Amino acid sequence: MASNLVHLVLERDGHDQPWGFRLQGGADVGLPLSVQRVLVGTPSEGTFFKGDVIQKVSYTDTKGLSHQQAADLFNNAGNQIHVYVKRSQAKDKTKPSTPTPKFNFAMPKGFR
C-alpha cells in the first residue's frame, strides 16, 4: 500500500487548549511515531487521522526521537504547528471519494 507525505498545519486558540490527539510510538519503544486516536471537537479533528505516521514536527525530523521528546515538541509549540505525516492513500481523506451507490430493490413476490 502506497503512502503520501502530507504537510499539515494545526492551529489552536491558546496554549491551554490541547491539540486533541493521542500519540503512540517513539524510538524508545521501537515503533514509529503515529496518531493512535483523534478527539472530536479539537484542532486535530479533520486534520490528523488514525494511523498517520509523524515524520516532522515544527520542521524537526522525528526519526530517533523518544515518545517524550516528540510529545514535548507538541506541548512546547505555540498556537500553530507544522507537521509532516505519512498517510496511506487508502486513508487519505484529502482526495474526493466516490459515493457508494445505493441499491434499492424489492424482493419479488413469493420470495419471503
Side-chain angles (χ1 to χ4, degrees):
M1 186 182 311
S3 61
N4 294 326
L5 188 62
V6 182
H7 175 223
L8 306 172
V9 180
L10 293 175
E11 293 187 40
R12 60 184 177 183
D13 294 331
H15 193 73
D16 57 334
Q17 181 184 24
W19 291 113
F21 71 97
R22 175 93 187 236
L23 181 67
Q24 70 179 5
D28 53 328
V29 293
L31 295 171
L33 287 164
S34 62
V35 175
Q36 182 182 33
R37 182 176 168 199
V38 179
L39 302 174
V40 176
T42 66
S44 294
E45 181 183 18
T47 304
F48 274 155
F49 294 97
K50 181 178 178 176
D52 283 350
V53 179
I54 299 170
Q55 300 293 300
K56 292 184 180 183
V57 178
S58 295
Y59 304 106
T60 300
D61 194 332
T62 60
K63 187 176 183 177
L65 291 182
S66 70
H67 180 89
Q68 189 59 55
Q69 288 170 320
D72 289 345
L73 287 175
F74 284 100
N75 292 335
N76 296 328
N79 295 328
Q80 185 182 73
I81 192 167
H82 293 259
V83 183
Y84 287 85
V85 300
K86 272 190 180 177
R87 178 176 292 162
S88 71
Q89 288 180 347
K91 292 182 180 180
D92 191 349
K93 306 294 185 192
T94 61
K95 295 183 178 184
S97 61
T98 305
T100 305
K102 294 182 180 179
F103 296 101
N104 208 358
F105 68 93
M107 295 288 286
K109 288 183 181 179
F111 285 91
R112 292 196 182 174

